[in-house]
Amino acid sequence: MPAAPRSGRYSVFAIAREALRHHSGWTRAWADPAPRDRYKVIVVGAGGHGLATAYYLGKNFGITDVAVIEKGWLGGGNTGRNTTIIRSNYLQDPSAAIYEKSRSLYETLSQDLNYNIMFSPRGLIMLAQTEHEIRGYKRTVYANNLQGVSTEWLDPQQLKAKVPILNLDGPRYPVLGGLYQARGGTARHDAVAWGYARACSDMGMHIIQNCEVTGVRTEGGQVRGVTTSKGEIGCDKLAIVVAGHSSQLAEMAGFRLPIESVALQALVSEPIKPCMDVVVMANTVHGYLSQSDKGEMVIGGGTDGFNNFTQRGSWQHVEETVRALIETFPMLSRLKMLRQWGGIVDMTGDRSPILSTTPVGGIFVNCGWGTGGFKAIPGSGWAMAELVAKGTPGPLAEGFGLNRFREGRFIDESVAAGVAH
Amino acid sequence: MLTLTCPCCGIRAEETELHPGGEAHLVRIGPEGDDAAFESYLFARRNVKGVHFERWRHAYGCGKWFLAARCTATLQVFGTYSAQTTHPPAEIVDAIRAARPDWTPDWTSDWTTP
């Protein structure tokens, strides 16, 4: 394979230049190479987390002999299926640290990658609709202020001013207040994957799509490489970053993970005029809502309770989610829904991620982000790159090791964040 | 929508009537178990993509627990059976083999045999 062509820098001058020559000069954003026999690091999974891991391996540690292997197409898993919400208002210190690192990286990611990821810190509200939620979110606000994460408590009238379409006195779940993170928001999910992919390719890394890993080769408790649908590929280090299929990759390597895979689904309405310029999450009724730049209302719902790999949603969850949301947002009741889809999320018992070494030398896992992985992509990649490069976790990742399950040292966000995590 | 027949009361129930209870046939660790066994019992699930044995409760029906054999990749249900068993009965195994000829039971490895 010839060396990957550099994709050229995007700028207003490039747009002007290309406008004058009928856009004939744009090159593809990332190369499509055949795999080499061997790489220093193989990252399995070219979603946001895998690509971010590769990017920060190159950027922070100078490791560019990296292949990112993907069984489908780049960003076609949960990276392309989420509701694009970015926030860092977590209760526990290790969570707040890694999610806030992630959120702060999102602030400058477009400049870092020279790729517009359309980060929109439009503000994010978590509604409190029960007395328990009031206490829970006030506690989270106090914790966030100690952690250096800027959040505040808003009363119902302040919420109504920010979200005029909100119905405060729903008969079943009235809005009693809310947690507000002003620098939370959304980003363009595909652009995050594409931007990282382009930057990785420019560093000389290989992104190999349509290449399914079918086996992991180990020797004396040390990883030697992977067997793929495009042949054997050797490596010194292997990073497994595959979300819903983490258990399957771990099984190939000979160990189990404390993960169960379930379907999470979302739906999107027909586009309407701008009516809501913040993200609103209603965790009691299991629904969250934002308006995309195209005008569609993007709605996320709850997960299935049973193991599921089908990437399909279920009608009963659509009904549950929509039924709950139209009480809090009555104007949604007249909207037609355009699309509905599902993704397979990897749930851990404490609803916190796993960034860890494994029983096999040279294999590292990054999984367990469950229903909230998109917001964590840059921070997760940052921490995972450090883990892979040094072989031991840095300060961001050290709380998220696999040993916490044996030692009973959970980072328990399941109570703090409920389902909409 | 997932539909299971409750073996306790015989009613065909859809998923809103049922409560999922996770992987079935877990072997409880006794006082002699070490940390690794206890961790494995609590957390290390098979999370199979394919034939999966799992616990369900007929929550809005008879209220009883039962077990089901289901494919997590297609949502095909092979059958349901009583929870008072340490491994799936022969008719469930036959039903799975009829649909998945290449599937082999593996409860000789770390499941208890009767």
Side-chain angles (χ1 to χ4, degrees), chain A residues 1 4-5 28 30-34 201 207-210 230:
Chain A
M1 278 297 293
R28 58 182 300 152
W30 57 86
D32 186 24
S201 187
I207 297 163
I208 304 160
Q209 301 179 71
N210 298 310
K230 292 188 176 180

Side-chain angles (χ1 to χ4, degrees), chain A residues 71 244-245 247-248 256-261 304-310 312 314-316 402 405-406 410, chain B residues 1-2 15-16 20 22-23 35-36 39 43-49 52 56 70 72-75 110:
Chain A
K71 87 173 163 182
H245 286 74
S247 299
Q248 280 62 44
R256 277 195 199 172
L257 291 170
I259 292 274
E260 291 196 84
S261 299
D304 286 341
F306 51 87
N307 294 32
N308 188 347
F309 286 85
T310 59
R312 285 199 301 256
S314 58
W315 296 115
Q316 59 117 337
L402 273 171
F405 295 94
R406 179 168 306 185
F410 306 117
Chain B
M1 180 165 276
L2 194 61
E15 63 183 275
T16 59
E23 187 178 323
D35 282 359
E39 181 197 8
F43 301 109
R45 295 292 169 263
R46 292 164 173 256
N47 196 20
V48 182
K49 185 177 184 181
H52 191 243
W56 286 86
R70 182 177 64 89
T72 59
T74 62
L75 301 192
D110 61 345

